[in-house]
Amino acid sequence: MDVANQESIRQAALTVNEQFGRLDVLINNAGVYLDENKKLMAMDPSILDETMATNFLGVYHVIRNFIPIMEK
């Protein structure tokens, strides 16, 4: 599952639901470190966008897609 790709997340959730019908535990253990120790104002804004998309929004979308399976 690519946590930076909403379709990949959706497909993973569908697969888990189809194969197992439930999910007991969800561990979000993915992240990137792309800024190479640059200061916020010195880094390319696209690097910050990609970092936030993976480290924050990726987690959000994983939770959003898998919580309904866990609620079963």
Side-chain angles (χ1 to χ4, degrees), residues 20-47:
F20 304 104
R22 68 184 230 182
L23 183 65
D24 296 327
V25 176
L26 177 64
I27 298 172
N28 278 296
N29 187 31
V32 294
Y33 180 67
L34 303 173
D35 65 11
E36 301 172 2
N37 279 334
K38 292 183 181 174
K39 294 185 181 197
L40 182 63
M41 298 306 292
M43 79 173 66
D44 183 323
S46 67
I47 302 258

Side-chain angles (χ1 to χ4, degrees), residues 1-15:
M1 173 175 61
D2 178 354
V3 299
N5 181 309
Q6 289 185 49
E7 182 58 23
S8 174
I9 296 167
R10 190 181 76 76
Q11 287 297 324
L14 288 172
T15 298

Side-chain angles (χ1 to χ4, degrees), residues 36-62:
E36 301 172 2
N37 279 334
K38 292 183 181 174
K39 294 185 181 197
L40 182 63
M41 298 306 292
M43 79 173 66
D44 183 323
S46 67
I47 302 258
L48 182 59
D49 288 343
E50 188 175 346
T51 301
M52 293 300 289
T54 301
N55 297 348
F56 176 75
L57 294 173
V59 171
Y60 166 76
H61 291 297
V62 169

